[in-house]
Amino acid sequence: MKAGIVGLPNVGKSTLFNCLSNAKAQSANFPFCTIEPNIGVVNVPDQRLEKLEELVNPERVLPATVEIVDIAGLVKGASKGEGLGNQFLGNIRETDAILHVLRCFDNDNVVHVDGSVDPIRDKETIDMELQLKDLESVEKKLDKVKRAAKTGNKEAQKEEAVLSALKEGLEAGKSVRAIEVSEDGREEFVKPLQLITDKPVMYVCNVDEGAAVDGNAYVEKVKEAVANENAEVIFLAVGTEADITELESYEERQMFLEDIGLSEPGSAKLIRGAYKLLDLETYFTAGVKEVRAWTIPVGATAPQAAGVIHTDFEKGFIRAEVIAYDDYVKYGSEAKVKEAGRMRVEGKEYIVKDGDVMHFRFNV
């Protein structure tokens, strides 16, 4: 599962990507510095993992990860192939969620591609390009479906109604995620199209250091503008985050954060947000060899969760021994949880809960 970082040139995408992944993507003060998408595998910060490490004292600890893709800056006309348009749109189509970076700081030394700072205009520029690309896809599909609907095909007529609603919404400047479609219609006809503006989105407002704790007027405008989109808005000072990642020790980084009034880096909040945006959650395995966080989609069953470790675990699944994270912490060890009768045995139908500590029995 991948989240793609998008935005206009020079809004801080590559700097943010560097903070997240420490894979030093090229970042320079001119457009089209990023051409090939950079991919970083980023650890998901999770205090529960630290607590389990403290209790179990394992040989190694492995956190959950999420893939972040840094995609080239988009410009007006991308849907018609301007700039790196087609390549950009192809790269973004392959991601599962969008982290849309908006410039929310003033600085005369950093060139803005449109000459002035206006996050709402920037958001609309990108939205319009993505909507135009989606409109193209919807119109193509609609042409085919209309022919089938004319023959009296009931299924095609249902699909035509849904696609016509999408076309109308996109032409009115709405993103697909904000267009009203019945749940069945979305599941059956919209999802298979993999439209770009249907992907879940988080708006990342890049502010200056002075606004790192409380945000600023630009951030408030963004929140207002996206109120009907069912999207998340977070703000962080990307330049400051970059300075923090340059510091050698954990202690130095904590001191820097305290000086500016933060309890943790904004990037940690962003990574957790991206994880949630991708509809992912975590379960743990805990033993003296390793304590590990495993990533599963929300709603996964116990056999599906076992399959993340190895496909054989899913095929030969017998049962799962499950301890709620809070119980593990309360009693302090697996043995004590068992003594207290708080370990549960679950079968194939069990839906895994975020934070479950699990052990699988299987037979191959």
Side-chain angles (χ1 to χ4, degrees), residues 11 17 32 93 106 140 153 166 168 181 193 207 212 257 284 296:
V11 294
F17 176 81
F32 305 132
R93 203 179 283 284
D106 297 303
K140 262 188 206 162
N153 180 321
L166 290 190
E168 205 175 297
V181 176
L193 292 174
V207 298
L257 285 166
F284 302 102
I296 49 169

Side-chain angles (χ1 to χ4, degrees), residues 128 131 135 164-175 179:
M128 192 171 79
Q131 287 159 5
L135 183 59
S164 297
L166 290 190
K167 181 175 186 285
E168 205 175 297
L170 285 161
E171 284 172 341
K174 285 184 181 176
S175 289
I179 298 170

Side-chain angles (χ1 to χ4, degrees), residues 157-298:
Q157 286 168 353
K158 267 187 353 198
E159 188 169 5
E160 183 185 2
V162 170
L163 293 176
S164 297
L166 290 190
K167 181 175 186 285
E168 205 175 297
L170 285 161
E171 284 172 341
K174 285 184 181 176
S175 289
V176 173
R177 73 182 81 83
I179 298 170
E180 274 186 43
V181 176
S182 72
E183 218 167 292
D184 293 351
R186 194 169 279 280
E187 205 52 50
E188 208 176 331
F189 306 122
V190 182
K191 275 200 176 156
L193 292 174
Q194 288 187 299
L195 298 168
I196 301 172
T197 64
D198 194 32
K199 294 178 191 290
V201 67
M202 179 195 286
Y203 293 98
V204 182
C205 299
N206 182 9
V207 298
D208 53 26
E209 192 177 309
V213 177
D214 299 315
N216 58 23
Y218 290 132
V219 175
E220 293 313 310
K221 280 184 185 168
V222 172
K223 284 180 179 172
E224 230 169 90
V226 306
N228 71 336
E229 271 193 57
N230 192 21
E232 206 168 317
V233 179
I234 72 163
F235 57 87
L236 67 159
V238 174
T240 307
E241 297 277 330
D243 293 341
I244 293 170
T245 58
E246 295 297 324
L247 296 171
E248 292 301 314
S249 72
Y250 172 78
E251 285 71 25
E252 282 179 299
R253 291 196 289 273
Q254 286 307 111
M255 273 167 65
F256 192 133
L257 285 166
E258 277 164 30
D259 281 350
I260 59 172
L262 293 173
S263 58
E264 66 170 355
S267 53
K269 199 168 52 174
L270 186 142
I271 295 163
R272 284 197 298 271
Y275 196 69
K276 210 169 119 196
L277 201 62
L278 290 163
D279 217 15
L280 300 174
E281 62 184 14
T282 302
Y283 77 86
F284 302 102
T285 50
V288 287
K289 283 263 180 253
E290 77 173 22
V291 164
R292 183 166 183 165
W294 299 89
T295 300
I296 49 169
V298 171

